[in-house]
Amino acid sequence: MSTQRIVFVGVGGQGNLLASNLLGQAALAAGQHVVVSEIHGMAQRGGVVESAVILGDATSPIVSNGEADVLVSFEPVEALRLLNKVNKDSLVITNTRPLPPFTVAIGAASYPAPEESVAFLKKKLDKVIAFDGQSLAEEAKNPLSLNMVMLGALFGAVDLPIDVKTMKKIIRTQTKKRFAAANVLAFDLGYKAAA
Amino acid sequence: MDVLLTPSGGKEHLLLGNEAIVRGALEAGMAFATCYPGTPSSEVPDTLYRLRKQFPNKVKYYFEYSTNEKVALECAAGAAASGVRTLCTMKHVGVNVAADPLMTLAYVGVNAGMVILTADDPSLFSSQNEQDNRYYARLSGLPMLEPCGPAEAKEMTSYCFELSEELGSPVMIRTTTRVNHAREAVPFVKLGKVKQTSKFKKNPMQYVTVPAVSRNLHLRLLNIYNQAQAISEQSPYNQIVGKGKLGIITSGVAANYVMDAVGDLGAKSKIKVFKLGFTYPLPEKKIARFLKSVDKVLIVEELEPILEEAVKALAQEKGISVEIVGKVAGKVPAKSVDIEAPGFFSRAFEYNPRLVREVIAKTFGLKFTEPAEISLAGMPTPPGRPPNLCPGCPHRATYFAVKEVAGDEAIYPTDIGCYTLGVLPPIKAADFLICMGSSVSSSGGISRATGQKVVSFIGDSTFFHSGITGLVNAVHNNHNFTLVVLDNGTTAMTGHQPHPGVNTEAIGDATTHIPLEPLIKGLGVQHVVTIKPFKVRAAKKAIEEAIAFEGVSVVISQELCPLFARRVAPTTKRVFQVVEDKCKGHLDCIKKVACPAMFVENGQARINPLQCIGCALCAQICPENAILPVKAKG
Ligand SMILES: Cc1ncc(C[n+]2csc(CCOP(=O)(O)OP(=O)(O)O)c2C)c(N)n1
Ligand code: SF4
């Protein structure tokens, strides 16, 4: 089997490490070889958080520049920041709801309009899926379920060796009971948005 | 129940490298564990702590967060000398702190398995340097193993306990961030039996290192080296994979990059890989045979050229003339932002799959079509997103008050923790930092050498770790500076671990709380004051007085880290809002403290109610009194 390299990027607090971990668990449950990597530490005080899930034969825990098959971004400018991870054939899935950093609030930097960011992605790549994932999370009645929306979008858009049932079962059993139903709904909404 | 406590073996579980190390220790029947936290090692002790707390009846080991790494290692040494299986964990720079006991513990050895984890951090994801702790094995003479991923980390941890007992010597296991923080399927074997207590058997000729004893112990250590080397020659962790006349010698996570690259390059029949896991002592005979069997050898190792130098020396000694290449001597990557792509092996930063593939292809003249890159020219520039203190972080309030009093002229030695983020604008209250504890001691040097005003910052965990001795020195030698102890009641940076100053009752630990103020007074500091940083006016006044004091003064700024407080003593405060009629748009609130809950809209300040936790700092900064609590609904 060939290798699928998926990079997740988001901002501290958006839960991308949970998304990559759950995807890893689902891969294992589906009998796939999988390696997940995370960066903890400094990055979590509101900084950029990156993780990767590598499915298939590869044993390396990280994805080099130009080698991500899919980039899943939880925030529009973060997709740009990690664009060196992708190549011409890659797919980028991004949430379009902005989360401006404080450098923008204090006037030290400016925030490109999300439309502008998405336009650049589309100019450079054939495969771009951009949608307001945050509003879907809100629709699912759990604003913190953006990570599930993005996971759903990944399943909707990419042919993965893990069936949706397995993924949902992992979400149901591995996320907090209180949120499990909303999380599955968020996953479904993301799936539909990207399929 | 937690999967890590599954008594039986057989199944595979997706584990973080650090969880795998815990499972490995449990499968070996570990009875005693000490640590000082530090990324990327922290999830090992944090998991041990959590399991013991959640499952007190299931878990049979003793565990403690020690005050620092030296203390952790000495405490562990006592346990291991007494005959119980012991684990001691730390990040790479922690071994510097523990280096003194380490060097002589290597002489005295152990009476039961003892494993020391050193977690290195190539590329400095969250560290002050990227030193290569493989040197510590060479410096101390202790055996070292290096796993390439979580599954191997688990297996090696268990094995290291056995090896340690076989040799009567502690064994080091060295990981890197990419092993600690990777997840993969880890096969379990059954949990080990735990021998919880033992008896200390007196033997001063082994345990009391006066010169006459240590002379013999040094010979003991050298003999252990020979014994360990013989084991390394046979070790299944030192394994040759594939066949061909081109050779690669590699270790740690880089071995994975090599295996992937050899596959990608379609070179499995051309390249033979010597993957080393038992890396000190090296299996020299096996390496010599390998060198003789190939036409050219590439060494793939992150950071220092340790294997490379050893292999070259070995070739010279054995008269083997094969070409051996690795790092490009003296060549330095142009920019640190190019962490990924210098195009050659250097001594800086971690490797990655593509770099390794490129260098292998170049070295051996193999072809590979790289994926078509895209040009990023014309891309809208993403705004910087450096990490920032959380909304409502008390460090921000303390910094604000100190800067208001002491301005930009004072020199601000600082220390390691969340508060190091005070280096960033607009706070910019960090001028000197080399290691944990350096704030206090360097303050004495700076103020003596310059006569400038010095105000330094240290976190509470860091103060217990290595601030106390520096403060005693400052009092004794009549230095002149003000130390601000940022007492947020926890070790926030590394994941909110307890330390001696933690309110142990609130977290339900049976440890003893050591309050800071009497401790600091007891050290002889003449001017000690405790402030509440969110009471800005009173805080400023107290800081002013402390700075005016001739001699060493200490300000304890006491307020719980809100992330920690949320867990131990949840309270809800009313969030604040900006009254649009009153805000004149000076934006002092935002410019002076950059709270991430605040932003600008129509030239006025705004507060994101989802992020505000009601600390009221900004309300006290606003000259127009435009920031008020949101009225309770009702
Ligand atoms: C010798 C050494 N050990 C461990 C670490 C990892 N480390 C960095 S900061 C820190 C503790 C920070 O706690 P504290 O001083 O209370 O500050 P806070 O993060 O709570 O603000 C630790 C353990 C290190 N950098 N160096
Ligand atoms: S975790 Fe706590 S101490 Fe660290 S920045 Fe956030 S609020 Fe401050």
Side-chain angles (χ1 to χ4, degrees):
Chain A
M1 197 210 120
S2 67
T3 304
Q4 279 175 310
R5 296 180 171 86
I6 302 154
V7 172
F8 291 86
V9 64
V11 175
Q14 285 188 313
N16 88 21
L17 297 185
L18 180 63
S20 51
N21 183 4
L22 294 180
L23 179 58
Q25 307 250 11
L28 180 64
Q32 298 297 318
H33 182 262
V34 62
V35 191
V36 182
S37 72
E38 310 170 353
I39 285 294
H40 302 199
M42 232 15 182
Q44 284 176 324
R45 302 280 171 274
V48 182
V49 183
E50 195 188 318
S51 58
V53 176
I54 297 142
L55 296 163
D57 298 330
T59 59
S60 301
I62 53 175
V63 178
S64 295
N65 284 351
E67 307 210 323
D69 297 295
V70 188
L71 172 64
V72 182
S73 176
F74 289 34
E75 208 277 354
V77 298
E78 295 315 317
L80 299 181
R81 201 186 309 279
L82 278 224
L83 208 52
N84 56 5
K85 285 282 171 214
V86 308
N87 58 62
K88 274 207 148 34
D89 302 321
S90 310
L91 163 68
V92 174
I93 305 175
T94 185
N95 170 33
T96 54
R97 180 81 66 91
L99 242 163
F102 78 97
T103 48
V104 173
I106 63 172
S110 59
Y111 191 93
E115 306 77 55
E116 216 185 303
S117 301
V118 172
F120 184 80
L121 294 174
K122 290 196 166 153
K123 196 167 94 189
K124 294 292 172 181
L125 297 162
D126 294 335
K127 295 183 275 181
V128 175
I129 296 174
F131 63 101
D132 183 350
Q134 188 57 43
S135 69
L136 298 182
E138 284 154 16
E139 192 180 325
K141 299 261 171 346
N142 176 10
L144 294 178
S145 65
L146 175 69
N147 52 359
M148 300 300 132
V149 172
M150 300 312 288
L151 208 47
L154 173 71
F155 273 80
V158 182
D159 189 14
L160 296 169
I162 305 163
D163 69 57
V164 172
K165 251 206 202 134
T166 308
M167 186 68 244
K168 284 199 203 173
K169 187 170 164 216
I170 294 285
I171 294 177
R172 223 174 286 121
T173 53
Q174 306 277 323
T175 64
K176 286 207 181 84
K177 265 209 183 77
R178 228 159 18 106
F179 298 121
N183 284 341
V184 172
L185 177 58
F187 178 92
D188 285 336
L189 292 172
Y191 188 100
K192 273 190 226 127
Chain B
M1 244 256 287
D2 196 284
V3 289
L4 291 172
L5 296 179
T6 315
S8 59
K11 278 216 177 112
E12 286 189 330
H13 298 275
L14 192 79
L15 296 189
L16 194 65
N18 283 341
E19 295 167 339
I21 290 170
V22 168
R23 176 70 193 188
L26 297 179
E27 288 178 355
M30 178 200 74
F32 202 96
T34 64
C35 78
Y36 186 73
T39 319
S41 74
S42 305
E43 296 82 3
V44 177
D46 293 356
T47 304
L48 291 170
Y49 175 69
R50 177 178 62 79
L51 291 175
R52 202 187 48 156
K53 225 168 156 154
Q54 278 181 345
F55 309 100
N57 301 323
K58 288 253 170 351
V59 156
K60 299 209 169 61
Y61 53 79
Y62 170 80
F63 168 78
E64 71 173 42
Y65 289 108
S66 309
T67 37
N68 69 27
E69 293 86 352
K70 172 172 146 70
V71 172
L73 186 60
E74 290 159 349
C75 183
S82 304
V84 296
R85 284 193 164 186
T86 301
L87 175 70
C88 182
T89 71
M90 58 196 74
K91 72 182 280 161
H92 61 335
V93 287
V95 183
N96 302 337
V97 178
D100 196 12
L102 183 75
M103 300 307 295
T104 311
L105 171 61
Y107 279 32
V108 304
V110 292
N111 233 333
M114 174 172 184
V115 179
I116 302 166
L117 168 70
T118 162
D120 292 13
D121 191 20
S123 284
L124 305 95
F125 291 99
S126 35
S127 300
Q128 60 266 42
N129 74 26
E130 61 171 346
Q131 67 185 47
D132 189 331
N133 276 12
R134 291 179 299 163
Y135 279 129
Y136 270 115
R138 279 123 189 112
L139 187 62
S140 64
L142 292 177
M144 177 176 275
L145 280 87
E146 293 177 67
C148 67
E152 205 173 66
K154 192 220 74 170
E155 228 184 281
M156 277 185 183
T157 305
S158 291
Y159 170 68
C160 285
F161 280 99
E162 304 287 333
L163 177 66
S164 167
E165 273 169 23
E166 189 176 345
L167 297 171
S169 163
V171 173
M172 297 181 84
I173 180 159
R174 183 234 187 204
T175 54
T176 54
T177 302
R178 298 306 187 173
V179 173
N180 299 97
H181 290 169
R183 287 178 200 272
E184 69 179 5
V186 176
F188 281 19
V189 302
K190 69 178 198 309
L191 287 184
K193 258 220 167 71
V194 182
K195 178 181 164 197
Q196 282 176 282
T197 54
S198 185
K199 269 231 145 51
F200 184 88
K201 290 195 199 74
K202 295 187 185 213
N203 183 6
M205 293 312 283
Q206 185 178 355
Y207 293 136
V208 183
T209 53
V210 293
V213 171
S214 286
R215 278 183 206 111
N216 291 323
L217 292 180
H218 192 189
L219 302 181
R220 173 187 186 271
L221 178 64
L222 297 177
N223 281 317
I224 286 177
Y225 175 90
N226 291 338
Q227 208 188 330
Q229 184 156 51
I231 299 170
S232 173
E233 294 285 356
Q234 305 299 327
S235 174
Y237 296 117
N238 294 332
Q239 187 189 48
I240 296 169
V241 194
K243 52 184 186 303
K245 295 303 271 179
L246 304 172
I248 292 178
I249 302 179
T250 184
S251 69
V253 74
N256 295 328
Y257 307 152
V258 168
M259 299 317 291
D260 286 356
V262 171
D264 290 348
L265 293 165
K268 283 190 176 145
S269 59
K270 291 187 195 140
I271 300 179
K272 187 154 82 169
V273 180
F274 198 160
K275 176 180 176 298
L276 291 164
F278 194 142
T279 55
Y280 192 79
L282 284 170
E284 291 186 357
K285 292 198 187 101
K286 207 168 172 182
I287 293 176
R289 286 197 297 275
F290 182 81
L291 294 178
K292 283 187 200 151
S293 75
V294 289
D295 297 333
K296 185 171 181 177
V297 177
L298 174 67
I299 314 279
V300 185
E301 62 185 320
E302 295 179 310
L303 300 181
E304 294 298 305
I306 293 174
L307 284 178
E308 185 178 336
E309 283 169 5
V311 171
K312 282 178 176 167
L314 184 69
Q316 205 273 343
E317 191 185 303
K318 306 271 179 205
I320 305 167
S321 62
V322 66
E323 187 188 355
I324 301 164
V325 294
K327 312 260 174 194
V328 182
K331 196 164 164 192
V332 180
K335 290 187 283 208
S336 69
V337 288
D338 287 343
I339 271 183
E340 279 219 354
F344 61 95
F345 287 164
S346 92
R347 290 162 64 176
F349 315 139
E350 65 172 5
Y351 289 178
N352 65 78
R354 184 172 178 172
L355 170 69
V356 169
R357 190 176 59 225
E358 273 171 14
V359 175
I360 293 175
K362 202 154 71 183
T363 307
F364 295 137
L366 303 169
K367 288 237 160 358
F368 183 77
T369 330
E370 295 289 342
E373 281 195 51
I374 53 174
S375 142
L376 301 185
M379 183 172 87
T381 317
R385 198 185 290 277
N388 188 358
L389 298 170
C390 305
C393 176
H395 297 334
R396 179 181 288 106
T398 310
Y399 279 130
F400 171 74
V402 171
K403 287 287 301 260
E404 287 279 295
V405 173
D408 283 331
E409 291 70 43
I411 308 300
Y412 298 111
T414 191
D415 229 299
I416 312 187
C418 284
Y419 53 95
T420 316
L421 292 169
V423 69
L424 298 173
I427 293 170
K428 293 202 276 187
D431 294 314
F432 191 76
L433 167 61
I434 46 180
C435 63
M436 287 184 79
S438 72
S439 58
V440 194
S441 333
S442 67
S443 292
I446 294 170
S447 62
R448 276 272 172 213
T450 66
Q452 282 172 285
K453 180 69 55 202
V454 173
V455 181
S456 54
F457 298 99
I458 191 167
D460 47 355
S461 186
T462 304
F463 181 74
F464 283 105
H465 177 282
S466 49
I468 297 172
T469 42
L471 191 54
V472 170
N473 177 67
V475 172
H476 175 64
N477 288 307
N478 304 323
H479 287 303
N480 181 21
F481 61 85
T482 300
L483 175 69
V484 181
V485 182
L486 298 157
D487 179 13
N488 62 355
T490 183
T491 314
M493 175 87 249
T494 45
H496 300 100
Q497 295 86 359
H499 62 65
V502 163
N503 180 346
T504 48
E505 238 174 78
I507 58 171
D509 277 7
T511 45
T512 301
H513 176 197
I514 299 165
L516 279 169
E517 191 170 308
L519 169 66
I520 291 170
K521 285 186 170 153
L523 299 180
V525 180
Q526 296 300 316
H527 186 109
V528 184
V529 60
T530 297
I531 61 166
K532 289 285 180 191
F534 290 124
K535 303 223 177 320
V536 174
R537 194 168 329 143
K540 269 163 59 176
K541 184 158 172 283
I543 290 165
E544 225 166 75
E545 287 166 7
I547 291 178
F549 180 82
E550 270 305 304
V552 177
S553 57
V554 172
V555 176
I556 302 166
S557 182
Q558 197 177 60
E559 185 66 52
L560 286 185
C561 157
L563 263 54
F564 177 66
R566 199 156 64 193
R567 265 198 343 230
V568 295
T571 51
T572 38
K573 292 197 195 120
R574 281 195 284 165
V575 305
F576 282 68
Q577 64 184 354
V578 175
V579 181
E580 293 186 24
D581 296 345
K582 289 190 172 184
C583 175
K584 297 233 167 78
H586 325 276
L587 304 181
D588 278 15
C589 50
I590 289 180
K591 283 189 210 140
K592 289 194 175 165
V593 291
C595 171
M598 303 195 76
F599 57 99
V600 185
E601 196 175 80
N602 304 329
Q604 288 190 322
R606 292 280 180 274
I607 296 171
N608 179 344
L610 296 175
Q611 284 191 286
C612 177
I613 63 158
C615 76
L617 175 64
C618 57
Q620 296 170 75
I621 295 173
C622 176
E624 308 293 337
N625 278 328
I627 304 179
L628 296 172
V630 175
K631 292 221 175 63
K633 277 186 204 130

